[in-house]
Amino acid sequence: MRTKSVGKKKINVVTLGCSKNVYDSEVLMSQLKANGKEVVHEDKGDIVVINTCGFIDNAKEESINTILDYVEAKNRGEVEKVFVTGCLSERYKPDLVREIPDVDQYFGTRDLPILLKHLGADYKHELVGERLTTTPKHYAYLKISEGCDRPCSFCAIPLMRGGHISTPIEKLVLEAQKLAKKGTKELILIAQDLTYYGLDIYKRRALGDLLKELVKVEGIEWIRLHYAFPSGFPEDVLDIIREEPKVCNYIDIPLQHINSELLKSMKRGTTHEKTDALLAKFREKVPDMAIRTTLIVGYPGETEEIFQELKNWVREQKFDRLGCFTYSHEENTGAYVLEDNIPQEVKEARVEEIMEIQSQISWEKNQEKIGMVYRCIFDRKEGNYFIGRTEYDSPDVDNTVLVAAEDTYISIGEFANVKITSAEEFDLYGELV
């Protein structure tokens, strides 16, 4: 029996991993739609494209399990073709081809035009800035660069994403304008390293220049910064955060650790003293700024004494937002030559200790918010509550503001002023004012 042509097939794009992958999937979907293809995101389709993550062991396991699930669906006749793209495919293509040969084709992180060809589509250069967003329409990720030039010893991202390439300011402004016309109100700037933005194309750190242009985009009301590297952080950005109402008083700056010896082994280009000085500068320049960070525990050589230093530092700094991960021993990274000498159960116990400290800090900070009024944007309704966020909170990773829906109606994607009436560790409850 003859099958239908590729052009009449529904293409299902499945996204795993970080917000950078979300962005890449949205670009892929926009290209497919412009080629007249029927495309869905994480729904039923005849052809499946899996955008994988290969960052750490848990992410790799999730990606492999997802591939296997769809290969089994293919073998049962439920889907016709399975394509795999993204970081896992970039990093482990020979192994994947050997171990999971039933996948129709594997593609790397920069193979979009080739992937499109296999899907019966052409890459359209005129679509720069066009995306089929998979987030709620009122917020969107804006990827300002690709790849990374940093030498961090624990990180495999340069192996998967290549070197740093900044997207020119004019292209990003155009993309922001197109998003705003579709109803986007909040831009979340993402990159492997925001701090490095512009060095390759402008020969200077140009994040501040980009922000000055993005705030001019009509319809954009919040701009949020994610994934800034601490070493070489451009201090003019702090002035813009403080002075420009559209730029949220918020920054995500993954610090990873505080012990100077470990930071040196991690090749982070900083020390305990320099990190403290940078955080002091943040708080001096923007006293109202929420600082989000992530930490790694269980890195080779992290003794109990070094871990105690980390715990004491977390207590001292009182970060507004904090995530903590166990060290993952990644082949071909600088740290792979070191002995992964801390048992997994010890790593996991250390994560729990850090998050217990942070939970108490978060609870104390949230208690201080009771009685305060915040401008919030509302993302969704769940059960009996409308779920919103302040400018100090990024979607999916930070605190939420809950407003009871019984006698109140709030339009999703709209802003409203909320008075906080009670608070837990990671949730605030309030009422409209």
Side-chain angles (χ1 to χ4, degrees), residues 131-232:
R131 285 153 53 200
L132 279 182
T133 52
T134 59
T135 53
K137 74 171 187 177
H138 57 277
Y139 70 83
Y141 297 107
L142 186 66
K143 188 163 70 169
I144 69 170
S145 65
E146 181 57 275
C148 186
D149 284 355
R150 304 286 185 176
C152 303
S153 65
F154 54 83
C155 185
I157 285 175
L159 301 174
M160 299 180 285
R161 292 277 179 176
H164 181 99
I165 302 174
S166 300
T167 301
I169 289 174
E170 60 271 17
K171 286 187 177 180
L172 293 169
V173 170
L174 176 63
E175 188 169 348
Q177 291 169 338
K178 289 179 177 179
L179 288 167
K181 286 177 182 175
K182 294 179 179 178
T184 299
K185 298 174 181 176
E186 176 181 10
L187 291 178
I188 303 169
L189 270 56
I190 57 172
Q192 312 302 337
D193 177 9
L194 291 181
T195 304
Y196 206 86
Y197 177 77
L199 274 174
D200 53 329
I201 54 177
Y202 302 121
K203 309 310 174 190
R204 67 180 189 283
R205 299 183 190 275
L207 180 58
D209 298 328
L210 172 61
L211 290 173
K212 288 175 184 176
E213 295 304 315
L214 289 176
V215 298
K216 299 175 185 176
V217 176
E218 191 174 339
I220 299 298
E221 299 192 45
W222 279 359
I223 300 172
R224 187 179 303 281
L225 303 180
H226 266 258
Y227 318 125
F229 195 89
S231 178

Side-chain angles (χ1 to χ4, degrees), residues 10-194:
K10 185 186 289 185
I11 301 170
N12 175 25
V13 178
V14 176
T15 307
L16 304 170
C18 66
S19 54
K20 274 85 77 179
N21 270 15
V22 171
Y23 181 97
D24 292 344
S25 289
E26 292 173 348
V27 171
L28 167 62
M29 292 168 66
S30 176
Q31 289 278 344
L32 289 169
K33 186 179 180 184
N35 276 271
K37 305 296 182 184
E38 186 177 358
V39 60
V40 294
H41 188 248
E42 298 181 354
D43 204 342
K44 290 185 177 179
D46 305 293
I47 297 168
V48 179
V49 181
I50 307 167
N51 190 0
T52 59
C53 178
F55 183 46
I56 56 176
D57 287 340
N58 288 346
K60 287 186 279 191
E61 184 178 346
E62 181 188 19
S63 292
I64 290 168
N65 287 339
T66 303
I67 295 168
L68 291 172
D69 286 345
Y70 278 104
V71 164
E72 287 178 12
K74 176 187 170 186
N75 292 337
R76 292 193 300 267
E78 295 168 10
V79 299
E80 294 183 18
K81 288 179 181 286
V82 177
F83 296 113
V84 174
T85 187
C87 290
L88 188 81
S89 185
E90 175 74 36
R91 190 175 177 195
Y92 297 108
K93 183 176 178 179
D95 297 331
L96 290 167
V97 169
R98 184 175 62 253
E99 298 295 332
I100 317 179
D102 286 348
V103 167
D104 291 274
Q105 190 80 30
Y106 290 94
F107 303 91
T109 54
R110 298 186 181 183
D111 289 344
L112 176 58
I114 306 168
L115 170 57
L116 287 167
K117 282 286 186 189
H118 278 77
L119 294 168
D122 294 317
Y123 181 77
K124 296 183 180 295
H125 293 276
E126 66 272 20
L127 287 180
V128 170
E130 293 287 351
R131 285 153 53 200
L132 279 182
T133 52
T134 59
T135 53
K137 74 171 187 177
H138 57 277
Y139 70 83
Y141 297 107
L142 186 66
K143 188 163 70 169
I144 69 170
S145 65
E146 181 57 275
C148 186
D149 284 355
R150 304 286 185 176
C152 303
S153 65
F154 54 83
C155 185
I157 285 175
L159 301 174
M160 299 180 285
R161 292 277 179 176
H164 181 99
I165 302 174
S166 300
T167 301
I169 289 174
E170 60 271 17
K171 286 187 177 180
L172 293 169
V173 170
L174 176 63
E175 188 169 348
Q177 291 169 338
K178 289 179 177 179
L179 288 167
K181 286 177 182 175
K182 294 179 179 178
T184 299
K185 298 174 181 176
E186 176 181 10
L187 291 178
I188 303 169
L189 270 56
I190 57 172
Q192 312 302 337
D193 177 9
L194 291 181

Side-chain angles (χ1 to χ4, degrees), residues 386-411:
F386 289 101
I387 312 293
R389 294 176 287 112
T390 70
E391 71 171 292
Y392 310 105
D393 300 292
S394 200
D396 299 326
V397 293
D398 292 329
N399 290 2
T400 55
V401 177
L402 290 79
V403 175
E406 286 140 355
D407 301 312
T408 304
Y409 179 76
I410 305 170
S411 295

Side-chain angles (χ1 to χ4, degrees), residues 418-432:
V418 178
K419 182 178 181 180
I420 306 304
T421 55
S422 64
E424 298 175 352
E425 287 96 332
F426 301 110
D427 290 315
L428 303 169
Y429 294 84
E431 56 191 21
L432 296 188

